[in-house]
Amino acid sequence: MSQAYGTLGYFGLIRQNSYGAYLTNPESAWDPSATMRFYPILSEAVAMEIGQLEYGQMRGLMAEPNKLRGQEFSQGDVVFEGTPDLLTLVARGVFGQESASAAGSFWQHEFLPRQVDYEPRIALPPYSVEIYRGTGAAHRYLDSFFTSLRLELAGDGLLQCTARMIARTTSEAARITPTFQVQTPWAWSGASLTLAGSGIPDFQNIMISLDQLIEPVPRVDGQTRPGSFLRSAAQQVRVSGTINVDSYGAQQFANYFNRTNLTLQLFIASLATSRDSLTIQVPQMRFTRFPLIISGPTRVTVAFDAEGVYDTDSRYAMRKLTGT
């Protein structure tokens, strides 16, 4: 048995049209392929979880009682550098819907958080995912869902994305030799931030996330796998980052104190083409933590937290636009 190395692994995915259907036709006209696509990733932590049902009887022994097999599913984070194709596929899963339209010679994809369930038993659209970990068989995850997406960008860095994945079924599959979809990731040097319509030159890093808070729901149906994947709470949009404190940074403390809602927009232009741009917009952002303190003799910075508030005019709490 050969040693496994992460660099020998692969990650592939394809959209499912419905719950329980595998490798069906794609839903958007911009993607003509009906086969699984493979992308480079940085890491993954998708692990199978098997619940334990413990006997509860007191039986005159100090030893632990026996356990039965409980609910089983797989979940974990997938970390990758933000590129147009992969981020568009994953964003559609997390936001729950996608609107694609022709804009000249390229496509524009708009993502708004879905406000109704995708199907009666699932809140978000399903995917089929395949992961090979460098040796042995690959693992295939059917009825997979991307439930959260975190985008992080720091000065002198590439856009890093972390998607939370949860899957109903796991099985082994024969390893293949994939053809990877390779694109140039978005980078800090093509990025600009605006807050309340004004450019912000003082951010050192920024994180924007959407969490749909999906949980597996067991049913009395004779199976150990979850019967549905539904919401456990309201959608959450969160923002955090580090800002240098000057006159502009001091103004943000006043916005925190006054609980002012501000429109935040992150725009990143591609370093490779003129068409592959990314725009993330939080129409109503409110600071929830802004610790303006002196931590030592060096320059003063603030590591802040904020939340996205549902905007009654635009009818969304977060919006993503991608041109490809």
Side-chain angles (χ1 to χ4, degrees):
M1 182 67 69
S2 59
Q3 171 64 46
Y5 292 95
T7 190
L8 300 178
Y10 61 71
F11 172 84
L13 75 163
I14 187 172
R15 292 166 291 187
Q16 298 178 191
N17 280 341
S18 61
Y19 194 43
Y22 174 56
L23 292 180
T24 54
N25 292 327
E27 299 176 11
S28 294
W30 65 269
D31 182 1
S33 173
T35 59
M36 183 169 285
R37 288 187 160 198
F38 298 88
Y39 298 90
I41 61 172
L42 297 175
S43 66
E44 59 84 19
V46 180
M48 188 173 187
E49 299 188 7
I50 302 175
Q52 301 289 317
L53 301 179
E54 184 174 306
Y55 292 170
Q57 301 101 323
M58 292 178 286
R59 51 189 183 138
L61 294 174
M62 299 300 293
E64 260 190 322
N66 196 9
K67 297 179 177 66
L68 295 177
R69 192 183 189 97
Q71 182 178 225
E72 58 186 68
F73 57 91
S74 297
Q75 67 175 351
D77 289 342
V78 179
V79 183
F80 57 95
E81 290 168 343
T83 57
D85 276 8
L86 181 53
L87 184 55
T88 296
L89 276 170
V90 172
R92 178 230 178 222
V94 177
F95 282 76
Q97 60 187 354
E98 168 196 11
S99 174
S101 59
S105 60
F106 62 93
W107 287 92
Q108 177 173 280
H109 309 267
E110 182 178 31
F111 302 86
L112 301 176
R114 189 181 186 92
Q115 298 302 309
V116 296
D117 288 344
Y118 188 77
E119 291 180 15
R121 291 190 294 164
I122 54 174
L124 296 174
Y127 286 72
S128 296
V129 174
E130 188 166 304
I131 301 175
Y132 174 65
R133 298 179 170 96
T135 189
H139 288 88
R140 184 169 292 167
Y141 302 89
L142 308 185
D143 293 327
S144 302
F145 306 91
F146 294 105
T147 63
S148 70
L149 177 63
R150 185 170 70 248
L151 306 176
E152 299 173 272
L153 185 66
D156 199 21
L158 301 174
L159 178 66
Q160 182 168 298
C161 310
T162 303
R164 186 71 172 175
M165 179 185 126
I166 186 168
R168 181 173 183 265
T169 68
T170 305
S171 62
E172 290 190 342
R175 174 198 173 188
I176 66 169
T177 301
T179 299
F180 287 97
Q181 309 293 319
V182 180
Q183 294 181 311
T184 301
W186 283 295
W188 104 102
S189 53
S192 60
L193 273 166
T194 59
L195 190 61
S198 300
I200 310 171
D202 297 318
F203 273 77
Q204 293 180 210
N205 55 70
I206 186 77
M207 186 284 300
I208 305 174
S209 70
L210 170 64
D211 193 341
Q212 293 279 13
L213 295 170
I214 305 299
E215 66 177 1
V217 181
R219 297 192 175 191
V220 183
D221 57 4
Q223 299 187 53
T224 57
R225 300 185 184 97
S228 56
F229 293 84
L230 299 170
R231 306 177 192 279
S232 62
Q235 299 165 343
Q236 292 183 351
V237 175
R238 297 292 182 261
V239 181
S240 63
T242 303
I243 187 171
N244 291 315
V245 175
D246 52 15
S247 58
Y248 183 83
Q251 177 186 340
Q252 301 317 310
F253 178 79
N255 287 327
Y256 165 66
F257 182 82
N258 294 322
R259 292 178 56 79
T260 305
N261 289 346
L262 306 164
T263 298
L264 174 73
Q265 181 168 294
L266 169 65
F267 173 80
I268 314 178
S270 171
L271 301 181
T273 71
S274 60
R275 63 181 187 176
D276 292 335
S277 63
L278 172 66
T279 301
I280 303 291
Q281 185 183 77
V282 181
Q284 297 290 323
M285 186 198 79
R286 181 185 300 155
F287 289 111
T288 57
R289 182 175 173 271
F290 201 92
L292 184 57
I293 59 174
I294 296 174
S295 58
T298 58
R299 56 192 174 83
V300 178
T301 61
V302 171
F304 70 87
D305 294 318
E307 63 184 8
V309 181
Y310 182 79
D311 183 40
T312 56
D313 292 330
S314 63
R315 297 186 178 181
Y316 60 86
M318 182 177 175
R319 177 177 182 236
K320 175 185 176 293
L321 279 174
T322 307
T324 60

